[in-house]
Structures are given as structure tokens and as C-alpha cells.
Amino acid sequence: MKNYYEILEVNPKASQEIIEKAYKVLVKKYHPDLYTGEKQIEAEKKIKEINEAYQILSDQFLKEQYDKELIRQEIRKRQKQGTNAQKQTTGKKENQEQTRQKTRQQVKKAKVGTFGSMIELCKQLIRDLKSKERREELKEMTRKDVLAIILTILVVIVLGIILWLLPFTNGWMRELLFENPIFNWIGGLFSK
């Protein structure tokens, strides 16, 4: 279905005056007498479309009918897109669930704690790593884990510095670091 609003280059909420002005401007712009050869033929086609669009949009009853049909068409288009997206999402989820079920069945078949079960587990991990989606998922998980570890280390260091600088916890921190046998042993490893 042609979009007459696009042909007349107006907004669907445009008033009759604006539609009429747009029509007049486009008729002047694409008048066939202004062109020659192939461009004249294209201009004639364009003028026919412009006249058709103006004929529909200038009549209030025809315009209302046309607007209703445009709305129905847009609703059908959205429903179709929604259905396609839903089918794709459902298909991916079903494939992932089938893969998980196969893995569970394989793990159940293998006797836990045996050498064969370790080999099966390694094979499954390798298959997972070959899957592009699974690799991307593992990369994202690894990034999040590394970020969490770095943030945890930074928080611990900042807390240690704060406790060291506070007068009422300074003695406790000195005792923890310099008189604790574990820290003395660790310090002894690095001082040798």
C-alpha cells in the first residue's frame, strides 16, 4: 500500500491547508514540461502519484478510510515482527535447553569419580569452548570475575590504609602486621 503522506512529503497529522500547499509545490517541482527525455517520463509518473495522493488526502472521508487502513497495516506489521522475534528467541532457548539436557544425561551416564567421567567432562568443556556463543558467554563471565577480583583487592587495600591511618586502630594494625606469626613467616620468605 502506498504511503500518500510520504508521496506528498507531509506529516500524517497535517491540516488540509498544508496538504494543499505541499501538493501545489510538488506539482510545480515535478511538472513534466520542465523535463525532457527519461526525466520527463519519471516526472509524469511522479505527478500521477502526487495527484492520486492528493485526491485521497484532500477528501475528508477518503482520508479517514485511508488512515484507518494505514493503522491496520502498521498493527499487522508489528505483530508479524513480534511473532518472528518471539520464534527466534524461543528457538534459541529450546536449543540451549536441549544442549543442557544432553550434558546432564551424559554426566548421569558417566560414573562420577572415575577416569572415564573426567575424560567425558573434558570433552564436554572442549565442545563448549568450540561453540562461539558459549565462548562469548565465558569471556563475559571472565571479564566480570576479573573486575570483581580487582575491585575486592582495591577495597581491601583502601580499608587497610584507612585502618593504618586512624589513631585508635594503628596499634592493632601494627600488632597484626608485625607480631603475627603468619605475617612474620610471609615476611621472612621475602626477606631471604
Side-chain angles (χ1 to χ4, degrees):
M1 184 168 144
K2 294 180 183 177
N3 190 330
Y4 294 137
Y5 294 107
E6 288 179 3
I7 292 171
L8 289 181
E9 300 174 6
V10 295
N11 189 319
K13 296 180 182 179
S15 66
Q16 288 298 323
E17 295 85 30
I18 293 174
I19 291 172
E20 189 173 340
K21 286 179 186 178
Y23 169 73
K24 289 177 182 178
V25 168
L26 291 173
V27 166
K28 287 179 184 176
K29 182 178 178 181
Y30 292 105
H31 198 279
D33 292 343
L34 299 174
Y35 302 96
T36 59
E38 285 291 320
K39 289 189 176 183
Q40 186 176 18
I41 295 170
E42 290 176 20
E44 287 174 358
K45 289 179 183 176
K46 185 72 172 173
I47 284 293
K48 285 180 184 178
E49 286 183 342
I50 292 169
N51 285 330
E52 181 183 346
Y54 180 70
Q55 193 175 21
I56 298 294
L57 297 181
S58 63
D59 185 315
Q60 192 61 34
F61 177 75
L62 293 176
K63 183 178 185 286
E64 288 175 7
Q65 297 300 318
Y66 175 74
D67 289 341
K68 288 178 184 176
E69 186 57 36
L70 265 183
I71 291 170
R72 281 190 218 112
Q73 183 180 2
E74 184 64 29
I75 290 171
R76 279 186 243 122
K77 183 179 175 183
R78 287 183 186 166
Q79 287 174 342
K80 187 176 180 182
Q81 288 174 345
T83 304
N84 289 342
Q86 191 176 27
K87 286 179 182 177
Q88 290 174 352
T89 305
T90 305
K92 286 181 183 178
K93 287 181 182 177
E94 288 174 358
N95 287 342
Q96 289 174 348
E97 186 58 34
Q98 287 174 354
T99 304
R100 287 185 189 123
Q101 286 178 354
K102 286 179 184 178
T103 306
R104 286 185 199 124
Q105 289 172 355
Q106 289 172 352
V107 169
K108 285 180 183 177
K109 287 179 184 177
K111 294 182 179 178
V112 178
T114 64
F115 186 69
S117 67
M118 292 298 290
I119 292 173
E120 285 300 316
L121 181 62
C122 290
K123 285 181 182 177
Q124 184 61 38
L125 287 172
I126 291 169
R127 274 188 236 122
D128 283 351
L129 290 175
K130 286 182 180 177
S131 164
K132 187 174 184 179
E133 292 174 0
R134 183 68 177 149
R135 269 197 320 262
E136 292 299 320
E137 190 178 315
L138 289 172
K139 281 182 186 176
E140 185 62 30
M141 286 173 45
T142 304
R143 284 186 200 122
K144 289 177 182 177
D145 290 344
V146 168
L147 182 64
I149 290 168
I150 290 171
L151 287 175
T152 304
I153 291 170
L154 288 174
V155 167
V156 169
I157 290 171
V158 168
L159 281 174
I161 292 171
I162 291 172
L163 289 173
W164 184 268
L165 295 175
L166 292 174
F168 56 89
T169 57
N170 187 287
W172 175 76
M173 288 296 292
R174 284 178 188 265
E175 182 180 314
L176 177 70
L177 291 175
F178 300 121
E179 296 176 14
N180 191 317
I182 295 172
F183 285 104
N184 286 338
W185 179 75
I186 293 172
L189 290 175
F190 291 108
S191 64
K192 289 181 183 181

